[in-house]
Amino acid sequence: MKTAIITGAGSGIGLATAKMLHAEGLAIVGVGRDTAKLAALEQELGGTERLLTISVDVTADDAPQAIVQGALERFGRIDHLVNNAGVGSPKPLHETDDATLDGFIDIMLRAPFRLCRDVVVHMAPGSSIVNVTSTFAMIGGRRGGAYSAAKGGLKSLSEHMACEYGPQGIRTNNVAPGVTMTDMVRHRFEDEGFKRANVETTPYPRLAEPEDVASVIAFLCLPGSEMINGQSIVVDGGWTKTKYLSPRAMTSVWTSAE
């Protein structure tokens, strides 16, 4: 029985991915900090026959060892790794202190790097790693700061791994979500400026839901994606690839930013 490790599995994209891969018959190692959310994951998947939950801070020094050891002891193999855990609400470079910088780098670059390092040695041909990056790893964006730096580093790490471990039959890819309606993001739509900057510039009639991103991650863990390696698949309704402005934005009265 193939096994997938998913970080940040208690909510949002991670939860949706766990449900999809579980439905495909995989065993799931769901990693997260919130024990209540992990308990809810167990309920969502109907028990723990093909599920192991591990409550750990992925930035902890012993986290990779605990995750890998748990997966191997319970299921005897690791076939897929989805590095999804992350944080949001970044600030511009000039407003970012060292503690914030370290926090973003720790959870979204250092932690995935260390977990990849400990997992890849246990993978066999046909295995895959999916790192969840961001549109901010693909293009410049305002307020990116430490978030952009971490996600950009993760994108480059994936490309290195695709080259290094691809000959062993181990694929590594990125999935880069745009603004996705997770609990971490939903509250930001109270800010009319944030809402307009995303809704009015997306050439699709809605923004992404967690399931939209999870379906791409799940695909990259299934046999039909065997020739996809070293790629970044962007899930954003065309936001990064177009200069779209909605009719509302095109006909609005422009005012000074002052």
Side-chain angles (χ1 to χ4, degrees), residues 75-87:
F75 299 116
R77 59 189 292 168
I78 301 171
D79 301 278
H80 308 287
L81 168 63
V82 179
N83 278 307
N84 166 70
V87 292

Side-chain angles (χ1 to χ4, degrees), residues 116-151:
C116 286
R117 183 180 63 192
D118 281 24
V119 162
V120 74
V121 295
H122 296 286
M123 286 183 151
S127 299
S128 67
I129 294 171
V130 180
N131 290 320
V132 178
T133 58
S134 169
T135 52
F136 274 42
M138 309 302 294
I139 63 171
R142 297 191 67 184
R143 301 184 62 82
Y147 183 89
S148 295
K151 292 296 192 179

Side-chain angles (χ1 to χ4, degrees), residues 133-192:
T133 58
S134 169
T135 52
F136 274 42
M138 309 302 294
I139 63 171
R142 297 191 67 184
R143 301 184 62 82
Y147 183 89
S148 295
K151 292 296 192 179
L154 186 57
K155 173 180 178 288
S156 293
L157 174 64
S158 299
E159 291 164 357
H160 154 71
M161 292 177 62
C163 181
E164 186 75 23
Y165 305 107
Q168 299 175 29
I170 302 169
R171 299 177 298 110
T172 307
N173 291 287
N174 299 305
V175 172
V179 171
T180 304
M181 299 302 286
T182 64
D183 291 341
M184 186 172 72
V185 171
R186 202 176 302 274
H187 73 279
R188 297 195 66 191
F189 280 82
E190 298 171 5
D191 178 345
E192 186 65 23

Side-chain angles (χ1 to χ4, degrees), residues 2-256:
K2 291 190 173 183
T3 300
I5 297 172
I6 304 170
T7 67
S11 62
I13 293 168
L15 173 60
T17 303
K19 291 165 66 176
M20 288 187 182
L21 290 178
H22 190 266
E24 292 288 338
L26 276 69
I28 304 298
V29 179
V31 179
R33 289 183 296 183
D34 191 323
T35 55
K37 289 182 178 179
L38 294 178
L41 173 62
E42 293 179 1
Q43 288 187 329
E44 286 266 10
L45 300 188
T48 58
E49 181 181 350
R50 286 189 288 119
L51 172 65
L52 169 67
T53 58
I54 299 176
S55 178
V56 66
D57 182 342
V58 293
T59 67
D61 288 344
D62 61 349
Q65 180 181 1
I67 295 167
V68 170
Q69 184 176 339
L72 293 176
E73 288 181 353
R74 177 67 181 276
F75 299 116
R77 59 189 292 168
I78 301 171
D79 301 278
H80 308 287
L81 168 63
V82 179
N83 278 307
N84 166 70
V87 292
S89 299
K91 297 179 179 180
L93 177 72
H94 68 280
E95 295 179 9
T96 304
D97 58 26
D98 287 349
T100 302
L101 170 62
D102 291 346
F104 275 81
I105 296 295
D106 276 355
I107 194 169
M108 293 186 293
L109 181 56
R110 184 174 182 270
F113 184 106
R114 296 175 69 237
L115 188 51
C116 286
R117 183 180 63 192
D118 281 24
V119 162
V120 74
V121 295
H122 296 286
M123 286 183 151
S127 299
S128 67
I129 294 171
V130 180
N131 290 320
V132 178
T133 58
S134 169
T135 52
F136 274 42
M138 309 302 294
I139 63 171
R142 297 191 67 184
R143 301 184 62 82
Y147 183 89
S148 295
K151 292 296 192 179
L154 186 57
K155 173 180 178 288
S156 293
L157 174 64
S158 299
E159 291 164 357
H160 154 71
M161 292 177 62
C163 181
E164 186 75 23
Y165 305 107
Q168 299 175 29
I170 302 169
R171 299 177 298 110
T172 307
N173 291 287
N174 299 305
V175 172
V179 171
T180 304
M181 299 302 286
T182 64
D183 291 341
M184 186 172 72
V185 171
R186 202 176 302 274
H187 73 279
R188 297 195 66 191
F189 280 82
E190 298 171 5
D191 178 345
E192 186 65 23
F194 178 86
K195 181 178 179 180
R196 289 186 182 183
N198 291 283
V199 172
E200 308 298 341
T201 57
T202 298
Y204 197 72
R206 65 175 178 84
L207 298 180
E209 295 290 339
E211 291 75 15
D212 295 310
V213 183
S215 64
V216 179
I217 297 171
F219 169 68
L220 291 172
C221 295
L222 297 173
S225 64
E226 188 172 356
M227 287 306 294
I228 302 176
N229 186 36
Q231 302 301 311
S232 290
I233 301 179
V234 181
V235 186
D236 70 350
W239 183 80
T240 59
K241 285 296 185 180
T242 65
K243 296 178 68 175
Y244 176 79
L245 282 176
S246 71
R248 175 188 176 189
M250 290 290 288
T251 58
S252 295
V253 176
W254 291 60
T255 60
S256 171

